[in-house]
Amino acid sequence: MQNTGALFFDFKPNDSITGVLVKNARLSIISITLGDLPSLEYIILEATDIQAMEVSLFCPFRCLKLVRVSHGKLNTISGTGTNVHQCSLESLKLHHNSLTAVNLNLFAPFTSLTLFDLSHNKIEVLSGRLTSPFLTSLLLNNNRLKVLNLCPWNVVRHLNVFSIAHNNITRMPPCLDRFPNVTHLSMQFNQIDTMEVEQLARLPNLTSINLSFNNIATIPVDEHLYPQNLKQIDLGGNLIKNDTVPSSHIAAELCSTVACFVDSLIINDSPNVHKVHVPSTCNISVVDLHYTGLQYLHFEQNDSITSVLVRKNRLRIVPATLALLPNVRYVMLDSTEFEAIDLNLFYPLRHLKILDVGNAKIKYVRGTSRTVSTCPLEILKLRHNSLTIVNLNLFAPFTLLTLLDLSHNKIEVLAGRLSNPILASLLLNNNRLKALDLCTWSTLRHLDAVSIAHNNVSRTPTCLNRFRNVTHISMQFNQIDSIEVAQLLQLPNLTSLNLSNNNITSFPVSEHQYPQALRQLDLYGNPISNPFNETMR
């Protein structure tokens, strides 16, 4: 039942019904006649007016696996807390309600419970003790808890995920070792001021902990205090003091502390971090700097780093020391203040696959047309910059390039010739090109998609047969005034052509004038006056 004005429902004994779904209804009580449906496997009551729930109602069902009462007005839970039946329930979801106090003893009969979701309520008090032996996920996030003491709880050996994010908790819950096999802890957006590593040390399987956006001011420096399996610690948005971790050497300090057991260095939402120095002794694989005040980034020779992501910062120069990372595979430099990029820096990197330098102020691309070494780069993105002139010869050393993205610049001139033999996608859209002559380019037999949409091009680019196997061409939003079918016939694999929103006034009507594989021709938004005029250029 969905989107009804139903105030109640009533069931007669029925062995056939396996599910009950009530959504967007004025239902105010949970009918006890649900007990007459012994084969029920799930009950979902969403966006109702139910304010109270008796959990004992759900225990006698031998097949019931899921109960979800969510997005409603539930504010009271009652029950016996005694195990009088074999309770088969595995997932109990009570999220997005108005609960303020919950007695965990009421859920003791649900011995098969694996997922318990109390998130997005208004819970201030959790009383009683959690005893569900097979619980794997416990979600208490987005509530109003100020304290949480786990010491009275049973040891929950199967718990894998525990979230208390988005509460008002001031310290890490005592007795975290009640979850000895937990792997993921989420405690972000609280008021925690201390990272209690002595508690974390008792969690041998912990792989990630999120403590971002708390009030933590210091980072423990004894590496032996941390669990051996820990791979990620997120401390973004905290109050790390410069006298604890000097900003000019923040990476060096962190590496000496935690690089022995984590594989990523992530610094985000830290406007006071201006300088980062990554030493050769830092055995991490990922450096991710996001939303910082970064003005200086320096790498020492490092064979471990495979990914560098630098986003939303104040860097003005591409760090030349990227050349000291011989095994780097992925470099993203996004939303910087770069005005130039020198590709000579990247040609020698023998493992680099993706270079993404976007959303910056780049006006100039420098490099060489000579193949100086084996350049394995496959994806090059220079989109959303301020390029006006680009020399295509500079991309020649990237002989394995499959995607070249120069979109969303201010390009007026493309000089040189494109010669990347296995290029599959070429994006030149959203620029200021008025003409495009492909005749000097190499034949690109692998090119599948090309876009020159949103430019000022007045005619179809000459020598389109340089892309003889192309399947998709986008030329919409230009000034093109005719369809040059003679060129299209040289593209036997062309399946779609977008010429919408140009100045085309007529088009050929004979199907023999188009490639046989063509399936879609978009001419929307053109001033076509006589569709039967076959006089074409």
Side-chain angles (χ1 to χ4, degrees):
M1 296 185 291
Q2 299 190 49
N3 302 307
T4 72
L7 298 174
F8 67 93
F9 57 79
D10 189 29
F11 294 97
K12 300 298 183 183
N14 190 313
D15 291 340
S16 300
I17 297 176
T18 59
V20 171
L21 168 62
V22 180
K23 185 175 181 180
N24 292 318
R26 296 173 58 193
L27 191 69
S28 59
I29 60 172
I30 302 175
S31 174
I32 61 173
T33 62
L34 283 172
D36 292 324
L37 309 177
S39 300
L40 270 183
E41 296 178 4
Y42 68 87
I43 300 171
I44 298 175
L45 307 173
E46 180 180 322
T48 68
D49 291 337
I50 295 170
Q51 295 189 34
M53 183 177 76
E54 166 64 64
V55 293
S56 300
L57 172 66
F58 305 113
C59 204
F61 295 94
R62 66 179 183 273
C63 301
L64 188 62
K65 300 299 182 184
L66 165 66
V67 170
R68 190 178 95 200
V69 183
S70 66
H71 298 88
K73 302 178 181 179
L74 185 66
N75 57 47
T76 304
I77 298 177
S78 59
T80 63
T82 57
N83 192 355
V84 293
H85 298 280
Q86 183 67 33
C87 302
S88 61
L89 192 68
E90 296 179 358
S91 296
L92 179 57
K93 301 181 179 182
L94 304 177
H95 54 88
H96 290 92
N97 283 295
S98 298
L99 296 168
T100 57
V102 176
N103 182 354
L104 297 174
N105 292 331
L106 302 179
F107 306 101
F110 301 112
T111 54
S112 298
L113 202 64
T114 60
L115 169 62
F116 190 16
D117 187 351
L118 290 168
S119 68
H120 295 273
N121 276 277
K122 302 175 183 178
I123 300 173
E124 298 179 359
V125 178
L126 280 178
S127 59
R129 57 201 294 259
L130 194 65
T131 59
S132 307
F134 296 106
L135 197 66
T136 60
S137 296
L138 176 60
L139 307 180
L140 300 173
N141 51 285
N142 296 83
N143 279 290
R144 299 177 181 177
L145 293 167
K146 293 184 178 180
V147 295
L148 183 60
N149 184 5
L150 310 179
C151 296
W153 294 18
N154 283 13
V155 174
V156 186
R157 299 189 182 279
H158 293 271
L159 196 76
N160 180 258
V161 176
F162 178 49
S163 177
I164 55 171
H166 292 271
N167 276 277
N168 297 311
I169 292 173
T170 56
R171 62 165 295 189
M172 293 171 63
C175 299
L176 272 173
D177 56 357
R178 291 291 185 267
F179 311 144
N181 295 308
V182 69
T183 59
H184 303 283
L185 291 178
S186 297
M187 301 186 197
Q188 64 270 28
F189 289 94
N190 277 286
Q191 305 298 322
I192 297 170
D193 59 11
T194 303
M195 188 174 173
E196 300 179 30
V197 288
E198 64 277 3
Q199 285 217 70
L200 302 181
R202 295 195 289 270
L203 306 175
N205 295 314
L206 186 66
T207 60
S208 72
I209 180 170
N210 193 334
L211 283 163
S212 61
F213 296 95
N214 277 280
N215 295 327
I216 297 171
T218 60
I219 302 173
V221 295
D222 188 348
E223 64 188 49
H224 302 293
L225 292 176
Y226 295 87
Q228 289 187 348
N229 288 318
L230 191 63
K231 300 301 181 189
Q232 182 172 359
I233 304 174
D234 192 340
L235 293 169
N238 276 283
L239 307 174
I240 309 297
K241 296 179 180 178
N242 285 345
D243 58 352
T244 304
V245 183
S247 62
S248 60
H249 298 285
I250 187 166
E253 293 291 335
L254 287 176
C255 285
S256 65
T257 303
V258 298
C260 59
F261 57 82
V262 300
D263 57 12
S264 302
L265 170 65
I266 302 174
I267 304 174
N268 60 18
D269 294 284
S270 302
N272 292 327
V273 174
H274 303 299
K275 298 180 180 180
V276 171
H277 179 162
V278 183
S280 58
T281 55
C282 199
N283 297 320
I284 57 175
S285 60
V286 178
V287 175
D288 187 348
L289 311 173
H290 189 197
Y291 277 108
T292 67
L294 193 65
Q295 299 178 37
Y296 172 84
L297 175 59
H298 180 83
F299 295 95
E300 294 182 4
Q301 182 77 31
N302 192 308
D303 294 340
S304 299
I305 296 174
T306 60
S307 298
V308 176
L309 297 84
V310 183
R311 298 167 286 173
K312 299 285 185 180
N313 58 77
R314 296 166 59 191
L315 278 178
R316 293 183 176 273
I317 301 175
V318 178
T321 53
L322 284 168
L324 301 178
L325 309 178
N327 294 316
V328 69
R329 295 176 177 271
Y330 176 37
V331 175
M332 172 190 278
L333 305 171
D334 189 84
S335 299
T336 65
E337 297 185 7
F338 301 153
E339 292 193 359
I341 182 170
D342 190 343
L343 297 179
N344 286 305
L345 175 65
F346 302 100
Y347 296 142
L349 296 175
R350 64 182 185 274
H351 294 292
L352 185 64
K353 300 293 185 183
I354 303 175
L355 175 59
D356 186 349
V357 187
N359 297 289
K361 303 176 181 179
I362 294 177
K363 299 178 182 178
Y364 311 104
V365 178
R366 303 185 181 97
T368 181
S369 60
R370 294 180 294 105
T371 303
V372 292
S373 60
T374 301
C375 301
L377 191 70
E378 297 177 2
I379 296 175
L380 176 58
K381 298 181 180 181
L382 298 174
R383 66 195 188 284
H384 291 280
N385 281 291
S386 297
L387 295 168
T388 56
I389 301 175
V390 176
N391 183 354
L392 298 173
N393 293 331
L394 304 182
F395 306 121
F398 300 123
T399 56
L400 300 181
L401 200 65
T402 61
L403 169 64
L404 177 58
D405 187 351
L406 294 170
S407 66
H408 295 272
N409 276 276
K410 302 175 182 178
I411 300 174
E412 298 178 1
V413 177
L414 284 177
R417 60 195 295 264
L418 201 61
S419 59
N420 306 84
I422 62 172
L423 192 69
S425 296
L426 175 62
L427 305 180
L428 300 172
N429 51 286
N430 296 84
N431 279 289
R432 299 177 181 177
L433 292 167
K434 293 183 178 180
L436 186 59
D437 183 358
L438 311 178
C439 298
T440 60
W441 295 17
S442 296
T443 298
L444 304 177
R445 299 182 185 278
H446 293 268
L447 195 73
D448 179 69
V450 59
S451 177
I452 58 170
H454 292 270
N455 275 277
N456 298 313
V457 174
S458 58
R459 63 167 296 184
T460 304
T462 51
C463 299
L464 266 177
N465 59 352
R466 291 292 185 267
F467 311 149
R468 60 185 308 165
N469 294 312
V470 69
T471 61
H472 305 282
I473 298 179
S474 299
M475 293 192 270
Q476 65 270 28
F477 289 95
N478 277 285
Q479 307 297 322
I480 297 171
D481 58 12
S482 64
I483 301 177
E484 300 182 28
V485 290
Q487 288 216 71
L488 300 183
L489 283 172
Q490 299 178 56
L491 307 175
N493 297 316
L494 185 66
T495 59
S496 73
L497 173 61
N498 193 336
L499 282 164
S500 62
N501 295 286
N502 276 280
N503 295 327
I504 297 169
T505 58
S506 61
F507 61 93
V509 295
S510 174
E511 64 184 59
H512 302 294
Q513 294 181 271
Y514 296 92
Q516 289 187 353
L518 190 64
R519 295 291 179 266
Q520 183 175 1
L521 174 61
D522 192 343
L523 294 171
Y524 175 83
N526 279 282
I528 295 173
S529 57
N530 183 3
F532 300 104
N533 181 1
E534 296 194 30
T535 303
M536 292 291 159
R537 186 185 301 173

